[in-house]
Each structure stands twice: as structure tokens, then as C-alpha cells.
Amino acid sequence: MSRSTESTIVTKCALVMDVLSDARQPMVFSDIVEKTGFVKSSCHRILAVLQGEDLVSYDKATRTYQTGARLHTWARSAWRRIDLQQIAAAEMTGLAEQSGMNVALSVMDADTILYLRTVDMVPVRFASHSGDHAPLHCTAAGKMFLAHLAGARAQAILTTLRLEQFTEFTKTSLDDLTAEFATIRAQGFAQAIGEEVRQITGIAAPIFNAQGDVTAGLSLWAMVEVGSPQRVLDQAPQLLAAA
């Protein structure tokens, strides 16, 4: 009998948390009663339990309830444990299928980019794969990361960056490279047209963490046989939405 009662209380607490989590703004008591279907006395008791555990907070001035600090801490901890590749997998596949182009997830690794995951709609012999590195100065993802660096880290990396020339379109001047950064930040993505490999156009958008820092990059790229530079650039809104 005791186990059944405890189960009922847990179920009711979970339902209240579901209702408060789905709400777009703090809720008054009557709305919670309506959404849960609980009688008022039961709803009061459940809310009191949840407040005692810091899972629900109550604002006396507005007489409203919302999810509490403890739930937010749980959520942050859960997200930190989820692998970025796992989070990105569905978005990457959807973007690749919608565009018919190749997609890559990368992070900055010292003075290179490191590919964590790739989805290749069109297999290419020299395409990068998970675990591969690529230069910063001539790839869309690399330029995106550089554009969002700040302070001492930006100075340290930019002043020691080796601007190797891969094609006639590779920027080998630091001034030419940094001149793009304001545009990259303003439009939300970087582009590289034939700068690492002459036949490839790529665009890359930042993935921000909870603190507003760039934690990874999402890239979309294609060879000219698959899509012209303009066709790749036209996919920018979809790339930004996925990122």
C-alpha cells in the first residue's frame, strides 16, 4: 500500500513539473489545477512538496509558480553529459538530405580544426572524416572560429598562424584574412570558395554554448559539380537554423 501511495505522489509531481516546464511563462495556481486535473487540495500539497525540494519556485508578488533552480541545475548537468555528436546527428542528417550536400561538425583544436562527425551525401576521395584536421585560414569552419576569437587568445593564434597557400584563392595575408571577420560575425556564417581545394565551396556557422561562446562549428560544403558557389551560399539560412 505504501509503495502505491509513493508512486502516486511521484506521478503527480512529475505531471506538475511537465505542466510548468511546457508553460511559456509563470503560471497561477488555478491554471495549474486546470492543466493537471487535480483537486485544489492535492495540487497545493504537490506544489508544497516541489517547493520544498527547490524544484518549483513561487513569486508572492505575482502569485505565480515556475520551475525552480534545482531543475535547471539538473538540466545543465544532463546536457553536459550528452555527447555533442549525439545532439548534432539528426540535424546534420536532415541538413545533408535537404541540401544534397556534405555536412561536417568540428571544433577548434589548437591552431587547426578537428572534425568530430561528417555526413557525406556525395562521397569525395579527399573529403575529411571524423578525426581529421584541417587548417583554420582557408576553411569556412576555420575562418568562423577565428572570427569569434577575442583578446589574448586571438592575438596568440593570429600572430603565429601559418598561412600556407593551397590554391590561388587562399588568403596568405593576415590583413586580408582578418578583413572578413566583421562580415562573418554580422551575417552569422563564414564562407570559403576554392581556398583549401579549388573545386570546393563551403560555409560554416557557429554553435554556441549556454554562456554564448562558440563551442563548435557546423559546415555545409559541395564540389562545383554538385553545386555552384551561389547554390551553396543559398543554403545559409538552413545551415544557420540547424546550427
Side-chain angles (χ1 to χ4, degrees):
M1 186 68 180
S2 174
R3 296 172 76 182
S4 176
T5 302
E6 289 173 2
S7 177
T8 301
I9 292 173
V10 170
T11 301
K12 288 182 176 181
C13 286
L15 180 55
V16 170
M17 294 307 300
D18 284 342
V19 168
L20 291 174
S21 297
D22 288 341
R24 297 192 175 186
Q25 57 188 11
M27 299 182 68
V28 296
F29 178 72
S30 59
D31 286 343
I32 299 173
V33 171
E34 181 182 351
K35 289 285 186 180
T36 59
F38 297 157
V39 297
K40 291 182 179 180
S41 58
S42 178
C43 197
H44 264 304
R45 185 172 67 255
I46 296 301
L47 285 169
V49 169
L50 292 171
Q51 283 180 261
E53 296 297 330
D54 204 19
L55 290 168
V56 167
S57 65
Y58 177 67
D59 188 311
K60 291 183 179 179
T62 60
R63 297 185 177 182
T64 56
Y65 297 85
Q66 62 183 331
T67 54
R70 190 175 183 185
L71 179 67
H72 303 160
T73 300
W74 285 354
R76 286 193 295 270
S77 297
W79 275 109
R80 281 196 295 267
R81 286 195 298 271
I82 297 176
D83 185 77
L84 179 60
Q85 298 182 59
Q86 179 184 345
I87 299 171
E91 292 288 354
M92 292 179 67
T93 300
L95 180 61
E97 291 176 346
Q98 175 270 322
S99 64
M101 300 176 188
N102 296 346
V103 178
L105 177 72
S106 61
V107 294
M108 192 168 174
D109 184 22
D111 59 352
T112 66
I113 60 172
L114 169 65
Y115 291 105
L116 299 180
R117 187 185 190 98
T118 59
V119 178
D120 294 338
M121 292 298 290
V122 183
V124 178
R125 176 177 54 82
F126 47 77
S128 296
H129 300 289
S130 300
D132 289 346
H133 288 81
L136 291 170
H137 70 290
C138 58
T139 57
K143 292 197 287 183
M144 179 277 297
F145 284 120
L146 289 173
H148 287 85
L149 290 177
R153 191 181 181 206
Q155 183 70 12
I157 290 178
L158 288 171
T159 54
T160 59
L161 199 61
R162 183 166 171 257
L163 304 178
E164 181 180 354
Q165 184 163 8
F166 291 90
T167 75
E168 66 269 38
F169 302 112
T170 306
K171 291 179 174 61
T172 57
S173 160
L174 191 58
D175 288 341
D176 290 342
L177 180 63
T178 57
E180 291 188 56
F181 292 174
T183 300
I184 292 171
R185 291 191 294 268
Q187 68 187 8
F189 68 94
Q191 65 187 56
I193 302 176
E195 296 181 38
E196 183 189 19
V197 177
R198 197 178 189 282
Q199 306 97 313
I200 287 179
T201 298
I203 54 177
I207 298 172
F208 296 96
N209 63 18
Q211 289 71 46
D213 300 320
V214 176
T215 191
L218 189 64
S219 307
L220 182 71
W221 64 274
M223 294 190 64
V224 291
E225 291 86 350
V226 176
S228 66
Q230 188 56 55
R231 187 180 166 213
V232 176
L233 294 172
D234 287 343
Q235 296 296 318
Q238 287 72 32
L239 173 70
L240 290 167

